[in-house]
Amino acid sequence: MTDASQTPDAVALTDVLPNPTPRDLLSKFDGLIAERQALLDTGVRDPFAIVMEEVLSPTLAIIQGRETILLGTYNYMGMTFDPDVVAAGKAALDRFGAGTTGSRVLNGTYQGHRECEDALREFYDMKSAIVFSTGYQANLGVISTLCAKGDYIILDADSHASIYDGCWLGNAEIVRFRHNSVADLDKRLGRLPVEAGKLVVLEGVYSMLGDIAPLKEMVAVAKKHGAMILCDEAHGMGFFGEHGRGVFEEAGVADDIDFVVGTFSKSVGTVGGFCVSNHPKFEVMRLVTRPYVFTASLPPSVVATAAASIRKLMHAGPKREHLWKNSRRLHQGLRDLGYTLGTPTAQSAIIAVMLPDQAITVAMWQGLLERGLYVNMARPPATPAGTFLLRCSLCAEHTDEQVDRILEAFAAAGQATGVLGQP
């Protein structure tokens, strides 16, 4: 019997096909890797790899062994060190342990989750509230569940990544309109089928430039075309409106908003996300929202801190007033120094300092850090193409003296880098 491997017809595939070259799936990022390395080779710090060795307060930390003013944390209301908030977290940690190890629909709903949702219902004066593990997951889950194939999501072109990702996960048709353009929103809604399901997604405050949406006019347009409305108040909760609920409250459109999404990682001072609504069918979302059903719930200590913080934010009028004072003062001070800012006036607690290119932006960022001031550097794709900026987020706990020091640091760093002319 002859071995088949010895016959002419038995040819191994390796004799015919060349050895395949493995494809590196990370090679698509080679340009970014090279750009980052070239930047670091100039001797600057990595703006996206800062380590806070110790956090002293909502406005101070130790970075590279130096006491540094924090102006890039989104800790708008300074709740991270509030004694009542910290105490609530410690008590929950002792009572319920470190984590839940389960999703909300299985073993992951503890008494603290319900108490946190009760606090949200009271804060927003709405019938339903659902807590998610992050603000990102709140947008991802709510948007993708509300809108499916055949529905339309109409969103501002400058919407947050979590909003875009929620659109893509739900497989709905995505329609973008020009940033904050009421006319473009009206035009694009007018082109859609009358009978189609439509969700207009808006943000109270846009996080890059700190500008606010013209919600009153946009809500009127959305209602005219029969669309439901979701408003993301991640950066508005805590200090907009009579009760601090957000820009939608200040604009007087609370009764016309169908869903409000937010986060605990800004004014609330911890981590997590939520959605509140008066829709009579809203509770079904607990059964059909994938990032809620298939994600472990927040640890008991976290929801306890969130609930305590939310209840204190209901009575935070003086803190809101001081935050607005800080924002207006810093905005005017930076303009007086000669900086170009993202908004003509202080519209929120975010102030964006616009700069011409990445090299100057990084140099300014490092110059500020060396002078004891931490801010955020933002560049594409987080910003529109060709847009580079330093983003400042003020806190209600910043003192008048700290604002003085912030302006002094911007003056000195601007002159040292050539962004500002010499005095």
Side-chain angles (χ1 to χ4, degrees):
M1 184 174 180
T2 305
D3 191 329
S5 65
Q6 297 176 354
T7 66
D9 294 332
V11 180
L13 281 176
T14 53
D15 296 332
V16 178
L17 299 176
N19 290 329
T21 302
R23 182 185 176 196
D24 182 357
L25 295 176
L26 289 175
S27 61
K28 65 176 73 71
F29 303 116
D30 286 349
L32 178 60
I33 292 170
E35 179 185 348
R36 176 179 178 273
Q37 190 57 51
L39 187 65
L40 297 178
D41 288 344
T42 66
V44 302
R45 291 281 309 277
D46 187 343
F48 308 112
I50 283 295
V51 176
M52 295 188 186
E53 296 141 25
E54 186 179 356
V55 181
L56 307 175
S57 75
T59 62
L60 288 173
I62 302 297
I63 299 176
Q64 282 194 309
R66 176 177 187 159
E67 187 174 281
T68 302
I69 296 176
L70 300 175
L71 192 64
T73 64
Y74 289 150
N75 194 0
Y76 299 128
M77 299 298 284
M79 301 303 289
T80 51
F81 278 81
D82 181 273
D84 296 328
V85 171
V86 173
K90 289 180 177 178
L93 186 64
D94 289 338
R95 184 179 176 190
F96 292 101
T100 64
T101 70
S103 78
R104 290 292 308 274
V105 298
L106 296 176
N107 62 295
T109 294
Y110 286 21
Q111 180 63 25
H113 295 90
R114 290 299 178 88
E115 291 174 357
C116 188
E117 289 171 346
D118 288 344
L120 283 166
R121 279 190 285 268
E122 184 178 351
F123 182 85
Y124 281 100
D125 190 26
M126 291 198 183
K127 296 176 182 176
S128 294
I130 295 180
V131 167
F132 291 81
S133 295
T134 65
Y136 175 92
Q137 286 181 313
N139 268 331
L140 191 70
V142 173
I143 295 171
S144 64
T145 303
L146 289 173
C147 300
K149 189 173 183 179
D151 296 326
Y152 291 86
I153 302 173
I154 306 92
L155 72 162
D156 190 293
D158 286 3
S159 292
H160 190 267
S162 61
I163 293 173
Y164 273 105
D165 289 355
C167 296
W168 294 326
L169 182 63
N171 200 29
E173 297 293 327
I174 303 171
V175 178
R176 299 174 181 84
F177 63 91
R178 288 196 303 276
H179 178 54
N180 273 350
S181 173
V182 177
D184 199 38
L185 172 62
D186 190 16
K187 180 177 70 174
R188 293 179 186 279
L189 278 168
R191 294 172 176 172
L192 303 181
V194 175
E195 69 282 0
K198 296 181 281 288
L199 178 71
V200 172
V201 181
L202 305 169
E203 294 182 61
V205 179
Y206 287 87
S207 63
M208 282 299 138
L209 299 184
D211 54 332
I212 63 173
L215 285 184
K216 192 174 187 66
E217 295 80 4
M218 287 184 163
V219 166
V221 167
K223 290 300 180 183
K224 180 181 76 172
H225 291 282
M228 301 185 82
I229 302 167
L230 181 150
C231 186
D232 183 323
E233 287 288 357
H235 297 273
M237 179 186 184
F239 53 96
F240 279 90
E242 180 183 357
H243 302 92
R245 293 169 185 160
V247 178
F248 78 100
E249 181 189 28
E250 189 161 291
V253 295
D255 292 340
D256 295 317
I257 299 290
D258 297 284
F259 312 99
V260 176
V261 169
T263 180
F264 297 154
S265 62
K266 308 304 188 280
S267 288
V268 179
T270 181
V271 67
F274 65 89
C275 183
V276 294
S277 177
N278 279 327
H279 196 290
K281 301 176 183 178
F282 186 69
E283 285 297 314
V284 75
M285 298 287 282
R286 296 187 191 275
L287 303 178
V288 293
T289 303
R290 294 173 68 85
Y292 178 90
V293 174
F294 296 105
T295 301
S297 64
L298 288 168
S301 57
V302 171
V303 286
T305 59
S309 180
I310 291 164
R311 294 195 182 282
K312 295 200 76 169
L313 289 176
M314 296 177 191
H315 311 287
K319 293 190 79 168
R320 288 197 288 272
E321 291 174 9
H322 186 70
L323 177 57
W324 276 112
K325 172 189 169 184
N326 284 344
S327 179
R328 294 185 181 108
R329 184 174 169 222
L330 181 60
H331 192 285
Q332 186 62 53
L334 290 170
R335 286 195 66 180
D336 290 345
L337 286 173
Y339 284 101
T340 300
L341 305 182
T343 58
T345 59
Q347 294 188 15
S348 68
I350 299 170
I351 298 174
V353 178
M354 314 302 292
L355 294 164
D357 57 47
Q358 179 166 279
I360 291 177
T361 306
V362 174
M364 266 293 300
W365 174 85
Q366 177 151 309
L368 292 171
L369 189 64
E370 291 170 350
R371 290 165 175 81
L373 178 62
Y374 171 74
V375 299
N376 301 134
M377 175 191 157
R379 49 149 289 167
T383 60
T387 301
F388 299 89
L389 58 88
L390 296 178
R391 183 175 55 187
C392 310
S393 53
L394 282 151
C395 176
E397 297 294 321
H398 280 124
T399 65
D400 291 345
E401 187 269 339
Q402 285 177 326
V403 175
D404 287 338
R405 289 168 57 194
I406 290 168
L407 288 168
E408 290 168 3
F410 266 100
Q415 291 161 11
T417 57
V419 174
L420 300 179
Q422 296 299 317

